[in-house]
Amino acid sequence: MNKDILNKAYINLVTAKAMTEIYEENFKVVSKYVHATSRGHEVIQTALGMQLLPQDYAFPYYRDDSMLLALGMEPYDLMLQVLAKKDDPFSGGRTYYSHPSLRNDDKPKIPHQSSATGMQAIPATGVALGFWYKESENLHNPKEAQPLVVCSLGDASVTEGEIAEAFQMAALKQLPILYLVQDNGWDISANEAETRAQNAYEYAAGFHGLEAISIDGTDFESCYSTLADVIDTIRTERRPFLVHAKVPLLNHHTSGVRMEWYRDDLEEARSRDPYPKMRTLLLKNGFSEKELETIEASAKKKVSAALEKALKAEDPKPEDLFTHDFAPTEITEEKGERSPKGAEKVVMVDCALFAIEELMAKHKECLLYGQDVGGRLGGVFREAATLAQKFGDNRVFNTPIQEAFIVGSTVGMSAVGLKPIVEVQFADYIWPGLNQLFTEVSRSCYLSNGKWPVSMILRVPIGAYGSGGPYHSSSVESVVTNIRGLKIAYPSNGADLKGLMKAAYYDPNPVVIFEHKGLYWSKVPGTKGATSIEPAEDYVLPFGKAWVLQEIWKKEEEETLSVITYGMGVHWAMNASEALGMQDSIEIVDLRTLHPLDYETVFKSVEKCGKCLVVTEEPSENSFSRALQGRIQEECFQYLDAPVMVIGSENMPAIPLNSTLEETMIPSTEKVKKKILELLDY
């Protein structure tokens, strides 16, 4: 082999090996925080890392420190992370060793990922899907070698369901991605015989169009040449590969789970150590023992100096906790024409449709995908009707029934500069996507120290409407509002929906928009207020600005009430107020966004009125609205003339199909009227 390649590879291997050894020698100091190392995996990781280009994207997993070194990172960089130091280049001390995120011009790009036990496959495949889209729309750079994505996986993670979703989409769309599976035969204490029906190479055979290769991951010649061929094929033919590399695990699972506690195969594993194999290879290719000893001594010296320096590095300060939860947005004020002269009044669903149409016409990086949104149907609520016909099947397309992929792929799409708008068909279907929403989407900006905010919009049709039954009627805002790092809208009318959709598009952060099905066409009695004059194209409505929809004067001599609500609750409150003829005594605040939440407007209204009712469609116990109730009670206590009250759905496990039972379950104008009178009479 080329001596320069062998020299670089050997330096990389012995550097990674020296890092493992120095961590063990300084175990008590270094293991304050948990880490894992690549000992035994060094050759396959080195062979891959050496061949990637700056335009490529990589998703290493937590045992891939050899790969990171091969990409150009220094031992000192990795040690800053193992010690959780302020200048850790990946996360600023926020996440574990070998949990990288990198955005350097001279190196492959590494978006944030979680602890990478399988969840990274979907975001990685999302990057490849982004490449596919950009190439199909001529948005790529034709002057450079075509980029590819590397997704590194441990063998145990391949049994996860989300891996199947990623493989399915890669095979279906023929995406330029390499799945590297490093198979050491172990999970933590569970071995392959206990946990797998087949290895990754055998499993991949079930995904037609995903070519798989199995190699000895300790043989550098085989690894380097095989990967060179695979990488060249992906760059030119734009199709997916899986490389299954058999390797030994020669160090602990992590510093917290010691191999002596459970391993019964250590002697056999050590017989496959890639280090002596690599030494022998170099000696056969013209290197002398003295040259190899010099390389090893230099590596140990470099690693020792790096640790000494890293131990002295500065720790994060307390104030560093409060940075990069969100990337800054430019949309901070309401702008544009909300009710232009001569414009037609349209239903709420069309306001969203027209907003997306305008965005797609203006921005080629905007695309829409999800279940049944393509040209044949345009969404089960016709919320994407005509978009595929106008913008083509590459920009508006159907996905399989894969909520995890729909949500998690936006991480990769955003990372390559696209703005995906995706949807789950019903709020009830969001549960399979919560892993990706919580673990990958919401935390990316914070845990990458601001490098990788995820710019996406997730549309979620929500709420009970027309006997939808237990799997098409749920409210899920309490769960989603407990995921920090998301912005969340829940509009009550079409104009707000269009303005918030535009604001969401120009926001660099992930946004969830709850769209109530019962308001889409205003067919539910009492919801005509959801229709709107369609706002102009330039209309934007910032997040965190509540609307005092029905405002009253402060009255000293009579009882007044502030109703705080959102979504369908706005219409119940408005109708109840009108039916009671008490518009002069009841102030109604439409939150419009649940995060950020406009506490200032809420508190001001409650302080003025002296009494407060929170109206929600969710079951009220342990909910978003109960938390809001408590916050109002705490902040406005001295102004209150009665306890803050909440009205929501009955606290039952699901909304029944039968219309009588559904009506009994959820709030209504009549129920809100009774609660208002009860509170005013308190």
Side-chain angles (χ1 to χ4, degrees):
M1 290 189 74
N2 179 290
K3 284 194 72 173
D4 185 50
I5 290 175
L6 288 174
N7 185 62
K8 287 180 180 176
Y10 193 68
I11 290 172
N12 206 74
L13 185 152
V14 297
T15 301
K17 178 174 176 287
M19 290 172 65
T20 299
E21 290 166 353
I22 203 169
Y23 291 164
E24 287 300 298
E25 291 165 11
N26 296 272
F27 180 76
K28 289 188 177 178
V29 175
V30 173
S31 294
K32 179 179 180 181
Y33 308 108
V34 175
H35 67 269
T37 72
S38 59
R39 189 71 188 92
H41 295 229
E42 298 98 332
V43 157
I44 184 65
Q45 292 180 23
T46 300
L48 179 59
M50 287 176 63
Q51 300 188 63
L52 298 182
L53 301 175
Q55 61 265 36
D56 295 330
Y57 279 65
F59 287 74
Y61 89 119
Y62 59 83
R63 202 174 298 288
D64 280 347
D65 55 7
S66 289
M67 189 186 300
L68 295 174
L69 292 171
L71 296 177
M73 301 307 292
E74 294 292 334
Y76 179 65
D77 297 323
L78 304 188
M79 288 172 178
L80 287 172
Q81 189 171 43
V82 82
L83 297 168
K85 295 295 187 177
K86 180 182 177 70
D87 292 332
D88 153 30
F90 304 127
S91 72
R94 292 176 175 180
T95 194
Y96 299 103
Y97 178 73
S98 200
H99 286 56
S101 58
L102 200 63
R103 203 165 191 167
N104 294 1
D105 291 340
D106 64 339
K107 296 180 183 67
K109 309 302 173 281
I110 306 178
H112 162 265
Q113 57 190 347
S114 66
S115 205
T117 49
M119 287 81 76
Q120 73 274 30
I122 285 177
T125 308
V127 170
L129 185 63
F131 288 159
W132 169 86
Y133 171 73
K134 291 174 82 170
E135 290 158 27
S136 70
E137 297 292 316
N138 294 314
L139 300 176
H140 64 301
N141 182 355
K143 295 180 181 178
E144 64 182 13
Q146 290 281 60
L148 59 85
V149 187
V150 168
C151 177
S152 181
L153 297 157
D155 53 298
S157 71
V158 179
T159 60
E160 290 192 4
E162 290 187 5
I163 300 291
E165 294 193 17
F167 287 0
Q168 183 74 241
M169 282 299 286
L172 176 68
K173 295 285 188 181
Q174 288 295 282
L175 302 180
I177 186 168
L178 165 59
Y179 300 103
L180 173 66
V181 180
Q182 299 173 59
D183 184 354
N184 61 36
W186 287 93
D187 189 336
I188 296 179
S189 65
N191 64 27
E192 58 189 316
E194 297 173 78
T195 58
R196 290 181 291 169
Q198 65 281 307
N199 66 33
Y201 169 73
E202 296 161 337
Y203 183 55
F207 297 89
H208 297 168
L210 174 60
E211 186 171 342
I213 299 169
S214 189
I215 59 174
D216 177 358
T218 68
D219 182 331
F220 184 76
E221 283 184 294
S222 173
C223 290
Y224 194 90
S225 61
T226 300
L227 289 171
D229 290 342
V230 167
I231 288 170
D232 182 65
T233 304
I234 295 174
R235 290 201 197 282
T236 54
E237 298 183 14
R238 316 307 281 156
R239 61 188 178 93
F241 276 78
L242 182 144
V243 173
H244 168 255
K246 192 67 180 172
V247 292
L249 179 59
L250 301 180
N251 197 37
H252 314 292
H253 169 74
T254 66
S255 56
V257 184
R258 313 292 286 175
M259 57 188 172
E260 305 87 32
W261 296 348
Y262 61 91
R263 292 284 294 277
D264 53 13
D265 68 334
L266 287 173
E267 188 174 339
E268 186 279 330
R270 287 167 184 147
S271 73
R272 295 184 285 124
D273 188 342
Y275 165 65
K277 286 187 177 183
M278 191 74 177
R279 268 187 130 261
T280 301
L281 177 63
L282 266 71
L283 291 171
K284 287 180 179 178
N285 280 270
F287 288 82
S288 67
E289 283 280 1
K290 186 174 181 181
E291 284 178 297
L292 300 188
E293 289 169 5
T294 301
I295 290 171
E296 292 187 42
S298 176
K300 289 179 180 179
K301 183 178 179 181
K302 183 177 185 178
V303 164
S304 180
L307 181 58
E308 185 178 346
K309 183 181 177 184
L311 286 167
K312 296 174 183 176
E314 184 182 4
D315 284 318
K317 293 180 170 61
E319 56 266 28
D320 293 330
L321 174 69
F322 302 100
T323 59
H324 302 303
D325 52 342
F326 291 103
T329 179
E330 296 179 358
I331 307 298
T332 57
E333 295 180 13
E334 186 174 5
K335 292 181 180 178
E337 289 190 82
R338 182 179 174 93
S339 302
K341 291 180 181 178
E344 293 185 9
K345 202 166 191 179
V346 295
V347 293
M348 188 169 168
V349 72
D350 284 345
C351 276
L353 177 65
F354 298 152
I356 294 173
E357 182 178 337
E358 290 167 359
L359 288 166
M360 295 188 79
K362 190 173 182 179
H363 303 285
K364 272 220 158 189
E365 66 273 16
C366 179
L367 67 164
L368 172 72
Y369 56 96
Q371 294 166 31
D372 298 305
V373 301
R376 289 192 190 90
L377 188 60
V380 294
F381 301 104
R382 305 293 289 158
E383 73 282 3
T386 74
L387 292 178
Q389 289 83 357
K390 289 176 180 174
F391 299 106
D393 294 335
N394 291 332
R395 294 187 70 186
V396 182
F397 59 89
N398 293 327
T399 65
I401 302 172
Q402 292 186 349
E403 285 80 12
F405 186 88
I406 291 167
V407 173
S409 61
T410 64
V411 175
M413 286 283 200
S414 173
V416 298
L418 300 175
K419 182 75 179 198
I421 302 174
V422 299
E423 65 173 67
V424 296
Q425 276 188 348
F426 295 89
D428 303 77
Y429 298 175
I430 202 171
W431 308 119
L434 279 187
N435 184 22
Q436 290 289 325
L437 191 64
F438 176 82
T439 309
E440 309 300 331
V441 174
S442 70
R443 295 177 163 195
S444 182
C445 186
Y446 188 69
L447 291 181
S448 70
N449 217 21
K451 294 190 297 296
W452 293 103
V454 177
S455 187
M456 59 84 86
I457 299 171
L458 173 59
R459 299 180 67 186
V460 183
I462 194 170
Y465 162 58
S467 296
Y471 303 110
H472 300 81
S473 306
S474 297
S475 294
V476 299
E477 57 265 32
S478 289
V479 173
V480 179
T481 52
N482 266 288
I483 302 176
R484 322 300 174 189
L486 302 175
K487 294 189 176 182
I488 302 164
Y490 199 148
S492 66
N493 62 82
D496 282 358
L497 177 53
K498 185 174 184 182
L500 290 166
M501 185 76 73
K502 291 293 182 75
Y505 184 84
Y506 296 110
D507 197 309
N509 300 287
V511 175
V512 177
I513 301 182
F514 291 122
E515 304 174 21
H516 200 291
K517 305 187 300 291
L519 301 179
Y520 264 159
W521 300 285
S522 292
K523 289 182 179 178
V524 175
T527 61
K528 287 295 182 187
T531 61
S532 308
I533 299 292
E534 188 198 348
E537 184 175 349
D538 65 348
Y539 180 65
V540 290
L541 181 62
F543 278 59
K545 303 289 184 184
W547 182 19
V548 184
L549 183 60
Q550 181 168 289
E551 190 170 6
I552 64 173
W553 296 102
K554 182 175 177 62
K555 299 181 180 181
E556 302 289 351
E557 303 301 323
E558 60 182 88
E559 297 295 309
T560 55
L561 172 67
S562 171
V563 177
I564 311 298
T565 187
Y566 56 93
M568 184 63 84
V570 171
H571 300 274
W572 291 325
M574 290 291 287
N575 294 334
S577 169
E578 183 180 2
L580 290 168
M582 302 181 73
Q583 295 96 322
D584 292 337
S585 302
I586 299 171
E587 184 155 289
I588 298 173
V589 178
D590 182 353
L591 292 176
R592 301 203 283 205
T593 65
L594 308 187
H595 190 84
L597 198 150
D598 186 357
Y599 287 108
E600 182 180 353
T601 297
V602 170
F603 297 156
K604 185 178 177 182
S605 176
V606 174
E607 289 172 9
K608 181 196 336 185
C609 297
K611 292 181 177 179
C612 175
L613 175 64
V614 179
V615 179
T616 179
E617 187 172 320
E618 274 195 306
S620 59
E621 293 303 307
N622 306 310
S623 66
F624 163 81
S625 292
R626 284 290 180 197
L628 178 58
Q629 173 196 34
R631 183 76 184 271
I632 294 169
Q633 193 101 330
E634 182 179 332
E635 297 288 340
C636 303
F637 182 76
Q638 61 185 332
Y639 301 96
L640 291 171
D641 298 324
V644 178
M645 294 188 181
V646 176
I647 182 171
S649 291
E650 300 297 334
N651 293 289
M652 303 306 292
I655 298 177
L657 182 64
N658 178 271
S659 57
T660 300
L661 296 177
E662 179 191 61
E663 186 179 326
T664 306
M665 174 84 175
I666 65 174
S668 64
T669 296
E670 282 300 313
K671 292 178 184 178
V672 172
K673 275 171 56 179
K674 290 179 182 177
K675 198 70 175 179
I676 287 172
L677 292 174
E678 175 189 340
L679 188 49
L680 286 172
D681 289 342
Y682 185 90

